[in-house]
Amino acid sequence: MCNRLCKPQKVVLYGKKIILRNPKMGDVKTLVDFINSLVEEDALILVNKTITFQEEKKWVKENLELCRKGEQHLLVAMYKKEVVGTMGLHRGKWRQSHVGTIGVSVKKSYRGIGLGTLLMKTAIGLAKKDPKIKILTLDVYEPNKIARKLYEKLGFKSVAKLSKRDLYKGKYISHIVMEYPLNKIK
Ligand SMILES: CC(C)(COP(=O)(O)OP(=O)(O)OC[C@H]1O[C@@H](n2cnc3c(N)ncnc32)[C@H](O)[C@@H]1OP(=O)(O)O)[C@@H](O)C(=O)NCCC(=O)NCCS
């Protein structure tokens, strides 16, 4: 895992110049807007309560420290000064310190232009290079057809189902656990 700040990467998607880079403390305001936009659309993610600037500031500070220690990798996709996507690759602790878990999200108005695919491919690339990560996994809500199709397209396979774990729009929905074949454990 990248234990120092990685070089920013520039990409052009549908004519939009997007920069992938590590987050900075100065991004807290735009990160709050990004997360709260997902909460407001009631996206199929765990968080369903808007967050405050102070909560996000604390989170960014703590998580940048984990990045510096090489325990996780975080990227933001920036369009101009706005966060339009995020990717986290977290390494587990203790008996699970060989397990990398990916989380990815893209702002609604920037979906369908390849950003989710790019963030996922970047995360897979990082996991492949990290000698400490031997298993690559993620967790997706069963009704999240777009995300599941994206993960399958990139080589993830469903390995388990956790039934009725979360409440979404008044119904209990299941999680699908997916794994990417890193083939690092024989
Ligand atoms: C899942 C998510 C990250 C995909 O991001 P994205 O930037 O739209 O992804 P891409 O543009 O690379 O598109 C990936 C695929 O999804 C398809 N897709 C994207 N938006 C779509 C839509 N609204 N309807 C149908 N298909 C869609 C694309 O056509 C593409 O398919 P293809 O590869 O067969 O062409 C994004 O929908 C998202 O952030 N959703 C809300 C949060 C979330 O669900 N996060 C994942 C939690 S597990």
Side-chain angles (χ1 to χ4, degrees), residues 21-36:
R21 62 161 171 79
N22 296 124
K24 304 173 185 167
M25 285 314 292
D27 297 329
V28 172
K29 168 78 178 68
T30 176
L31 273 166
V32 169
D33 293 344
F34 173 78
I35 294 152
N36 287 343

Side-chain angles (χ1 to χ4, degrees), residues 142 148 158-165 173-178:
E142 192 174 36
R148 286 175 63 191
S158 302
V159 292
K161 177 171 164 171
L162 309 174
S163 289
K164 303 193 190 307
R165 287 294 174 102
I173 58 170
S174 303
H175 296 212
I176 304 293
V177 181
M178 301 184 86

Side-chain angles (χ1 to χ4, degrees), residues 35-36 38-39 42-51 141:
I35 294 152
N36 287 343
L38 294 171
V39 172
D42 212 359
L44 281 156
I45 55 170
L46 176 66
V47 188
N48 67 351
K49 173 195 155 290
T50 53
I51 53 153
Y141 288 133

Side-chain angles (χ1 to χ4, degrees), residues 4 27 30 33 60 73 80 88 95 100-101 103 111 135 147 154 156-157 167 181 184:
R4 56 187 193 282
D27 297 329
T30 176
D33 293 344
V60 174
H73 196 93
K80 297 181 178 165
R95 294 191 201 278
T101 304
R111 291 182 197 149
I135 300 278
L154 297 177
F156 279 81
K157 301 257 182 285
L167 189 59
K184 290 193 191 177

Side-chain angles (χ1 to χ4, degrees), residues 34 38 44-46 59 72-76 85-91 100-106 115-116 119-124 136-140 147 150-151 156:
F34 173 78
L38 294 171
L44 281 156
I45 55 170
L46 176 66
W59 188 92
Q72 69 175 4
H73 196 93
L74 288 181
L75 284 180
V76 285
T86 56
M87 184 286 291
L89 171 60
H90 311 273
R91 196 158 57 78
T101 304
I102 298 177
V104 72
S105 284
V106 171
L115 187 51
L119 289 167
M120 282 301 299
K121 283 186 175 169
T122 305
I124 295 168
L136 184 59
T137 184
L138 57 79
D139 193 295
V140 56
L150 165 63
Y151 305 148
F156 279 81

Side-chain angles (χ1 to χ4, degrees), residues 3-4 6 10 71 77 79 84 86 91 93 96-97 100 105 128 130 164 169 175 182:
N3 58 6
R4 56 187 193 282
C6 296
K10 284 183 198 159
E71 286 168 24
Y79 177 61
V84 296
T86 56
R91 196 158 57 78
K93 281 186 180 176
Q96 295 180 354
S97 59
S105 284
K128 281 183 179 168
D130 185 343
K164 303 193 190 307
K169 295 190 175 169
H175 296 212
L182 283 181

